[in-house]
Amino acid sequence: MTTFIEKEEKLQAILTDYHKVIVGFSGGIDSTVVLKEAVDILGKENVLAVVANSELFSDEEYNKAVTLAQELDVNVQGIELDYLANENISNNTPESWYYMKKIFYKALNKIAADFNADAVLDGMIMDDNNDFRPGLRARDEEKAVSVLQTADIYKIDVREIAKKLELNNWNKVASCSVSSRFPYYTKLTSEKIEKVMAAEAYLRALGFPTVRVRVHGTVARVEVPATAFNDFMLSRKEINNKLLKLGYEFVTLDLSGFESGRMNEVLSENTKKKVLVG
């Protein structure tokens, strides 16, 4: 059985094949490991972290990512992406993730050309191959490189490598585009997005770091881990009042608990296949 140490060594060997790289950096643990290893192998002057901000990700996440890159003493550049200008994204179609990633990788490739980089690297891991990830098609089309996948690294390996590297975000909760809070074919607007962001920010501040507020018309369906149900119920009146003030008419707790990608469950396997292959 290959250990995470051996996989890290493989990752480092892969990185030695490059001279200069761009790293698409989200501030999550996966891209942090890629960024840290790239800087250690190639040197600070040959690595540029690029953090994207948009309507579909909170300013809080963007600012945290920029700050983390600075704390790692890495060169970092922020970019603004207008995802909602694309109708496939604003209409929240099953292909929306493909179009978001297409825009993202194209922007990185443009920066890579100016930086004279050999490659654009991202933080995709092996686990992503087992999920509905239309962005992988955009990655392949734009020739970005998922070095963690090349090194056969899974989430469990990433966390061990991160702890070894003494990265303080080794157990960070994964973030995701706010579009995932809405059923497919829901028209996305700035007002709807800001309302979800406000609701989730409130719940995180209340002590629920892992949380999703899924929106079904006027209903806010809250997902937290089952282990947090008791705490949630203790604060249920406060939570209900806050989300009602934000504009939802009904607030519910999903008894299935938190589950990433919940909105994908309604898609048929045939639809998923069509989206993934294009």
Side-chain angles (χ1 to χ4, degrees):
M1 181 177 180
T2 306
T3 67
F4 81 88
I5 293 293
E6 292 171 314
K7 291 185 178 183
E8 182 187 19
E9 290 172 348
K10 184 177 180 180
L11 171 62
Q12 293 168 345
I14 292 166
L15 290 169
T16 60
D17 290 335
Y18 300 108
H19 174 58
K20 299 183 73 174
V21 298
I22 298 289
V23 177
F25 186 59
S26 66
I29 186 59
D30 304 329
S31 60
T32 303
V33 166
V34 173
L35 183 60
K36 173 62 175 172
E37 296 279 13
V39 171
D40 288 349
I41 295 295
L42 303 177
K44 175 181 176 179
E45 68 279 7
N46 294 316
V47 178
L48 176 64
V50 179
V51 184
N53 198 15
S54 78
E55 317 96 321
L56 299 180
F57 292 86
S58 70
D59 289 339
E60 178 186 7
E61 286 293 323
Y62 171 78
N63 292 331
K64 282 183 178 179
V66 171
T67 299
L68 178 56
Q70 292 169 341
E71 289 174 350
L72 292 172
D73 193 27
V74 175
N75 294 314
V76 58
Q77 177 178 336
I79 57 173
E80 293 283 340
L81 300 177
D82 185 7
Y83 287 134
L84 291 185
N86 184 300
E87 288 189 357
N88 288 286
I89 299 173
S90 63
N91 289 331
N92 204 29
T93 69
E95 286 192 298
S96 59
W97 270 103
Y98 163 77
Y99 287 101
M100 275 188 274
K101 288 297 186 180
K102 188 77 171 178
I103 292 170
F104 176 65
Y105 287 122
K106 277 184 174 294
L108 294 186
N109 277 332
K110 185 176 185 302
I111 295 171
D114 294 336
F115 190 62
N116 293 318
D118 305 313
V120 168
L121 310 182
D122 69 15
M124 290 286 190
I125 56 177
M126 292 300 292
D127 306 69
D128 293 319
N129 291 332
N130 300 322
D131 200 355
F132 178 60
R133 300 286 188 184
L136 295 175
R137 176 161 63 106
R139 175 204 63 187
D140 293 343
E141 290 175 356
E142 295 303 318
K143 297 179 171 56
V145 183
S146 301
V147 288
L148 296 178
Q149 288 191 349
T150 307
D152 195 38
I153 290 176
Y154 290 79
K155 179 65 75 177
I156 189 172
D157 304 311
V158 169
R159 296 204 185 281
E160 291 300 324
I161 293 171
K163 284 191 282 186
K164 175 178 173 290
L165 295 172
E166 298 183 343
L167 299 175
N168 59 18
N169 67 338
W170 68 270
N171 63 344
K172 181 180 183 295
V173 177
S175 61
C176 186
S177 166
V178 177
S179 62
S180 68
R181 312 312 195 261
F182 300 89
Y184 284 110
Y185 302 108
T186 299
K187 182 68 176 180
L188 302 180
T189 65
S190 297
E191 181 182 5
K192 291 177 182 177
I193 291 166
E194 289 169 2
K195 189 188 297 186
V196 168
M197 286 184 176
E200 292 188 351
Y202 165 76
L203 288 165
R204 286 194 298 272
L206 199 60
F208 301 96
T210 303
V211 63
R212 295 288 187 268
V213 176
R214 313 284 189 187
V215 179
H216 303 268
T218 60
V219 178
R221 174 171 59 83
V222 182
E223 292 181 18
V224 295
T227 54
F229 281 4
N230 287 341
D231 290 337
F232 188 93
M233 294 308 293
L234 288 173
S235 301
R236 67 186 185 280
K237 290 183 179 179
E238 181 182 349
I239 292 170
N240 189 66
N241 290 337
K242 176 63 177 181
L243 269 60
L244 290 180
K245 287 181 180 178
L246 287 175
Y248 298 109
E249 293 184 14
F250 304 96
V251 181
T252 68
L253 173 64
D254 192 316
L255 297 183
S256 295
F258 169 79
E259 184 179 338
S260 182
R262 180 67 64 80
M263 292 304 198
N264 292 330
E265 293 178 356
V266 301
L267 298 178
S268 69
E269 291 304 315
N270 188 48
T271 295
K272 290 180 181 179
K273 183 178 179 180
K274 286 182 179 179
V275 172
L276 293 174
V277 300

